[in-house]
Amino acid sequence: MAAPCDPQIAFTAAANGARYSTYPRSWAYPDRMTGHHDDHDHHHDHDHSDLSETELRVRALETVLTEKGYIDPAALDAIIQAYETKIGPHNGARVVAKAWTDPAFKQALLEDGSKAVGTLGHVSRVGDHLVVIENTPQRHNMVVCTLCSCYPWEMLGLPPVWYKAAPYRSRAVKDPRGVLADFGVSVPTDVEIRVWDSTAETRFLVLPMRPAGTEGWSEQQLAELVTRDSMIGTGFPKTPGAPS
Amino acid sequence: MNGVHDMGGMDGFGKVEPELNEPMFHTEWEARVLAMVRALGAAGAFNIDTSRFYREALPPHVYLASSYYKKWLLGLEDMLIDKGFIGADEVKAGHASTPPKALKRGGFKVGDLERVMTRGKFGRTPQAPAKFKAGDRVRARNIHPLTHTRLPRYVRGHMGVVERDHGCHVYPDTAATESGENPQWLYTVVFDGQELWGAESDPTVKVSVDAFEPYLELA
């Protein structure tokens, strides 16, 4: 049997590496990256030829569904517009800022997230199963969906690509501190890390800790500090006075 | 099913790469796919569990090599063809050539927008008293259904503690195959990181899943 450092094995591994070089480089957009070695940020420039096949396929499907009377393209436009304008992390930020300033609301929110959010008329309607989880000096919460992409849409908008992609889904439950490091986030080692895998229709929103130096701030000012990632648990709220 | 979608604990996918100022959609077709799935779901062509099952059932190499909305597109096509709403030949031709099949709630129109913007309700009246309560030590059963399940592999066979009871919910395992809502009690169950990943792993980690009662047994 060959020893692990056998040059033959090293050679084979290198050959395999070459053979597999057309495999995806980025697990965020695997089908875009095949065969490309450009920077991740530049992929829009050469999307078109890669994706025209998919684009045509989507158009064909939409045409068939429309001709059959299952959908109306104008209704699809309306859905897209609603997603683009009505949902987003500003909804979650309002809820967090209110919880930071109103102890009774905070208590109600932690007891029954859906019910408490329902009392705020200005926030988009939330489903029945919102669970709000509080970060404390002893515990940092982080949310993932290892099986697909479950995420509190009404509170945070549509999930970002990284949340739905393999690196986050695979590692968040096994190496959450490593994942946080990918975000440039570090949580003290004496703090418990609690990972919530969204495996049912319950949806989790992290209530981050209120930043120091915000005494007397209004709800609106505080909401500006609340980032999307701070409500997923992969980030912290902005620090007052720091460049945004 | 033990598919590649069940990613918790897998290695080799590399770093998480957040995109700065990420747009909501990266191409127009992504938005069309999202809207088609939402519209047809609201029209009653399928339930959310069935649509998840179809994505999971994509061949592993296709699942791994497809972007998120590409998986949605492929799953949607397969599902609509299987359920007789469209024909594979129609998708290929890009035109309908057979009469439509009735949708539970009729074709999706502009006036139906509110239906997709309001999240579905999954709570149901209990069929039996809850078997477990907060504080109970439980074991995630070592089960390997060939169809859709929401019990990830990485917790199966492991001991945890019931933390919360969420009431009775639609059971995805039967809903996915359209065998009924079969409501089941749902619990948040917490596992020590070391119970899941071994004594060498980070002792400060705890992981919870939301587990339906049939996934659990008293430890």
Side-chain angles (χ1 to χ4, degrees):
Chain A
M1 215 171 107
C5 58
D6 187 321
Q8 185 59 39
I9 288 182
F11 174 78
T12 309
N16 283 343
R19 189 177 311 147
Y20 297 144
S21 65
T22 54
Y23 266 44
R25 241 180 96 247
S26 163
W27 291 102
Y29 264 97
D31 39 8
R32 288 185 182 184
M33 300 310 292
T34 304
H36 290 291
H37 294 277
D38 305 349
D39 284 343
H40 181 241
D41 291 337
H42 297 153
H43 59 220
H44 303 290
D45 302 338
H46 50 72
D47 271 353
H48 202 76
S49 55
D50 289 348
L51 292 178
S52 57
E53 196 193 329
T54 304
E55 219 173 285
L56 293 172
R57 198 163 170 169
V58 172
R59 278 185 204 162
L61 182 63
E62 186 175 336
T63 304
V64 173
L65 297 175
T66 304
E67 289 176 357
K68 288 199 177 246
Y70 297 146
I71 56 165
D72 171 0
L76 300 193
D77 294 341
I79 293 173
I80 294 163
Q81 204 202 352
Y83 277 120
E84 283 174 342
T85 55
K86 291 197 175 156
I87 65 167
H90 56 279
N91 290 329
R94 292 294 301 268
V95 171
V96 167
K98 173 125 180 114
W100 282 346
T101 53
D102 179 344
F105 176 77
K106 176 177 157 184
Q107 200 188 334
L109 188 67
L110 295 174
E111 276 167 19
D112 186 335
S114 296
K115 202 168 144 190
V117 170
T119 63
L120 307 175
H122 57 275
V123 169
S124 75
R125 270 175 294 171
V126 70
D128 277 353
H129 315 297
L130 181 71
V131 177
V132 179
I133 47 190
E134 185 186 16
N135 281 352
T136 67
Q138 290 78 39
R139 184 165 91 167
H140 180 85
N141 296 286
M142 193 170 135
V143 181
V144 65
C145 174
T146 60
L147 297 172
C148 51
S149 55
C150 300
Y151 186 80
W153 286 18
E154 298 94 334
M155 292 289 98
L156 299 184
L158 297 176
V161 168
W162 60 258
Y163 185 86
K164 305 178 285 195
Y168 186 72
R169 285 166 55 190
S170 60
R171 274 172 65 219
V173 289
K174 187 181 181 190
D175 178 24
R177 287 183 189 273
V179 167
L180 289 173
D182 290 350
F183 286 89
V185 167
S186 165
V187 171
T189 50
D190 59 344
V191 174
E192 177 191 313
I193 306 270
R194 166 67 179 277
V195 184
W196 299 73
D197 193 353
S198 313
T199 54
E201 295 303 335
T202 33
R203 291 291 175 269
F204 302 103
L205 184 79
V206 174
L207 174 58
M209 286 190 285
R210 178 171 172 165
T214 58
E215 294 73 18
W217 283 38
S218 71
E219 250 179 74
Q220 204 172 350
Q221 286 173 301
L222 288 167
E224 296 291 319
L225 299 178
V226 184
T227 62
R228 177 196 67 199
D229 288 4
S230 74
M231 295 180 278
I232 304 173
T234 55
F236 299 123
K238 289 181 231 167
T239 311
S244 55
Chain B
M1 62 178 284
N2 290 347
V4 290
H5 68 283
D6 186 357
M7 292 181 157
M10 287 172 79
D11 296 316
F13 289 111
K15 287 179 71 161
V16 180
E17 295 174 343
E19 180 182 341
L20 269 183
N21 303 315
E22 181 177 335
M24 189 171 290
F25 302 105
H26 288 77
T27 58
E28 200 196 327
W29 68 258
E30 292 187 340
R32 302 313 283 181
V33 170
L34 170 83
M36 283 192 271
V37 170
R38 298 294 289 161
L40 289 163
F46 47 80
N47 66 54
I48 192 164
D49 297 300
T50 305
S51 66
R52 287 193 186 119
F53 186 29
Y54 269 86
R55 279 169 224 143
E56 294 164 5
L58 291 170
H61 67 288
V62 174
Y63 187 99
L64 288 175
S66 301
S67 64
Y68 183 71
Y69 288 112
K70 183 71 179 284
K71 288 194 275 275
W72 274 43
L73 168 68
L74 299 175
L76 177 65
E77 276 183 9
D78 287 350
M79 182 164 55
L80 293 175
I81 292 168
D82 276 4
K83 297 192 177 308
F85 286 105
I86 56 173
D89 52 334
E90 292 179 308
V91 180
K92 205 171 169 196
H95 284 289
S97 52
T98 57
K101 180 180 163 180
L103 282 165
K104 216 183 280 178
R105 290 183 278 278
F108 190 90
K109 302 280 183 291
V110 175
D112 300 323
L113 180 64
E114 279 306 303
R115 293 224 303 268
V116 298
M117 299 313 286
T118 309
R119 201 158 168 257
K121 292 178 185 295
F122 298 88
R124 295 293 183 270
T125 308
Q127 311 291 300
K131 272 193 198 146
F132 309 114
K133 57 183 188 307
D136 282 352
R137 283 179 64 74
V138 290
R139 185 183 297 278
R141 292 178 60 212
N142 182 20
I143 48 171
H144 298 268
L146 294 174
T147 47
H148 182 70
T149 187
R150 297 293 288 182
L151 183 66
R153 257 176 292 178
Y154 73 88
V155 300
R156 294 180 196 167
H158 289 292
M159 305 266 292
V161 176
V162 173
E163 186 179 76
R164 292 182 195 212
D165 166 350
H166 296 287
C168 236
H169 284 222
V170 173
Y171 188 41
D173 299 45
T174 51
T177 53
E178 298 184 346
S179 332
E181 292 195 335
N182 186 21
Q184 300 291 338
W185 290 92
L186 178 67
Y187 309 93
T188 295
V189 179
V190 191
F191 300 85
D192 277 335
Q194 293 195 331
E195 163 73 13
L196 301 174
W197 312 113
E200 304 292 305
S201 68
D202 185 342
T204 66
V205 171
K206 286 188 193 296
V207 180
S208 65
V209 301
D210 280 358
F212 292 87
E213 200 167 84
Y215 298 166
L216 303 171
E217 56 199 10
L218 263 184

